[in-house]
Amino acid sequence: MSTATTIHPPALVRRGSWIYCPLLGAVAGFLLRIVAAWVAGLQWAPFQGVFELAASGADPWGMLVAIALGLIIGLGFAGLFAQERLTVTVGPEQVVLATGRNAHEIAGDEVDAVFTERGHLVLLDDTGAELARRKSGLDRLALRDAFREHGYAWRDSDPYAGRYVLWTEDTGELSLRVNALMTERDRALRRRDHKEAALLRTQLAQRGIVLRDGHRKQYWRRVD
């Protein structure tokens, strides 16, 4: 039995965020401290309370506190980014997609095709349904080599690309419920609510509808 292959995000990305995010946070705290007193004196400026708080306290302690708070906030963002980074482990019997402490295990014999599309890793079953679609950021060639090494069918593009149809409101080929979900998702895309759009994508997938997005438009196909 061959050993599983794990593809991690680049080391520069993994380690760099723990350096750059706190550094940027500290710089932001420093700049906020400098301009806070001036902005707090402008009667028309919004968020007066925030700027008055940032300007409070005598230097150098006031400046040090502002820089420290910015650094802490930067560390928080670095932690959030770490939780969102994808690590993929490919073995002959299963594929594991891990983000933070969450791991999604997919049986190897369920995977019929694998490809990347617009920065996402996509796994399909033999009906054309999506087993997973995850924002990747991983090296495409490393993913390709790992999946091929363990016997998976890597595709250079979506094998069902020719089946997608542009969705328009109240499409007659779709049920009222599916059209309603597509309408909700269209609104989510227009207001850039990616979390809501992803949730609605999952609900549509449960009804046998697979989506691809392009320029805030939705294209759909049915699962075989």
Side-chain angles (χ1 to χ4, degrees):
M1 182 181 296
S2 58
T3 305
T5 304
T6 300
I7 302 96
H8 296 281
L12 181 62
V13 174
R14 298 198 313 270
R15 299 168 187 168
S17 62
W18 292 103
I19 298 173
Y20 295 122
C21 288
L23 180 60
L24 289 173
V27 171
F30 173 78
L31 294 175
L32 177 62
R33 174 70 180 181
I34 290 177
V35 304
W38 174 69
V39 176
L42 301 175
Q43 296 183 354
W44 53 265
F47 307 112
Q48 286 285 326
V50 174
F51 288 102
E52 289 173 359
L53 180 62
S56 63
D59 287 333
W61 294 111
M63 177 64 77
L64 291 175
V65 168
I67 292 173
L69 288 175
L71 188 147
I72 292 170
I73 292 172
L75 283 172
F77 276 104
L80 289 175
F81 294 149
Q83 291 297 313
E84 294 177 354
R85 284 196 288 269
L86 177 68
T87 297
V88 178
T89 300
V90 185
E93 296 182 354
Q94 70 174 4
V95 177
V96 181
L97 309 178
T99 52
R101 298 180 180 178
N102 300 317
H104 181 195
E105 299 179 356
I106 302 171
D109 57 7
E110 294 182 6
V111 180
D112 185 67
V114 188
F115 62 96
T116 57
E117 180 182 62
R118 296 183 180 179
H120 289 74
L121 176 66
V122 184
L123 282 70
L124 304 178
D125 66 16
D126 58 2
T127 71
E130 290 184 351
L131 295 168
R133 172 182 286 268
R134 297 293 181 87
K135 188 174 182 180
S136 171
L138 300 173
D139 184 87
R140 182 179 181 277
L141 295 180
L143 287 169
R144 182 199 65 184
D145 293 345
F147 278 101
R148 284 182 175 176
E149 177 187 350
H150 294 287
Y152 295 93
W154 178 269
R155 308 293 186 185
D156 291 330
S157 60
D158 186 348
Y160 296 90
R163 298 192 184 184
Y164 288 90
V165 178
L166 175 65
W167 176 79
T168 55
E169 193 170 356
D170 297 327
T171 297
E173 300 173 66
L174 300 173
S175 68
L176 291 175
R177 179 54 180 161
V178 168
N179 269 313
L181 291 172
M182 294 287 284
T183 299
E184 289 182 39
R185 190 169 185 275
D186 181 64
R187 292 170 182 161
L189 289 174
R190 292 180 184 278
R191 64 176 182 267
R192 299 182 184 275
D193 188 343
H194 302 298
K195 185 176 181 179
E196 179 69 12
L199 177 62
L200 290 164
R201 174 190 284 276
T202 299
Q203 294 181 25
L204 286 159
Q206 294 169 351
R207 290 168 170 79
I209 302 298
V210 180
L211 302 176
R212 71 185 304 181
D213 299 323
H215 305 292
R216 297 193 189 181
K217 294 182 180 180
Q218 301 182 92
Y219 297 80
W220 65 276
R221 66 172 174 83
R222 291 188 187 277
V223 172
D224 291 339

